[in-house]
Amino acid sequence: MIINDPNMRKYLEVQLIGHENNKIKARTRTGEYIFVYPTARQARDPLFWQCLKDIINNKLWLPITKQFHHLLENDWLVPSM
């Protein structure tokens, strides 16, 4: 599970607050506003955008990569075996 990941410093926790074109506005735990960038596959996926709206409306916090500001594509909610 990502919370137990010793490499946690590779990730930022963000709350998604809106989107504009193919950029997603987010707020970090420290209050900084950044953009999160969907992958090409995510950007073409209408289900991704619908889920994104639900995440924004419910004010959920998600992990993103620090380096590229991408949402994680793996099943980060599923505990590792």
Side-chain angles (χ1 to χ4, degrees):
M1 201 163 162
I2 195 164
I3 200 162
N4 298 325
D5 188 343
N7 296 319
M8 190 62 184
R9 65 185 174 279
K10 294 180 183 179
Y11 309 110
L12 288 173
E13 295 171 332
V14 297
Q15 185 178 46
L16 305 182
I17 57 174
H19 66 89
E20 171 180 302
N21 299 324
N22 276 345
K23 295 189 293 188
I24 304 161
K25 295 178 187 178
R27 180 176 50 235
T28 67
R29 287 259 182 221
T30 59
E32 179 185 359
Y33 290 91
I34 62 172
F35 284 108
V36 176
Y37 300 96
T39 63
R41 190 175 98 215
Q42 290 168 337
R44 291 188 310 267
D45 186 352
L47 185 57
F48 170 81
W49 293 106
Q50 183 57 51
C51 291
L52 185 78
K53 288 178 188 177
D54 292 339
I55 290 168
I56 291 167
N57 289 336
N58 288 290
K59 301 180 188 314
L60 298 178
W61 290 83
L62 301 173
I64 64 168
T65 61
K66 267 188 183 178
Q67 187 173 10
F68 298 112
H69 292 179
H70 286 174
L71 293 167
L72 302 183
E73 283 199 49
N74 58 346
D75 295 327
W76 50 270
L77 290 175
V78 178
S80 56
M81 301 280 170

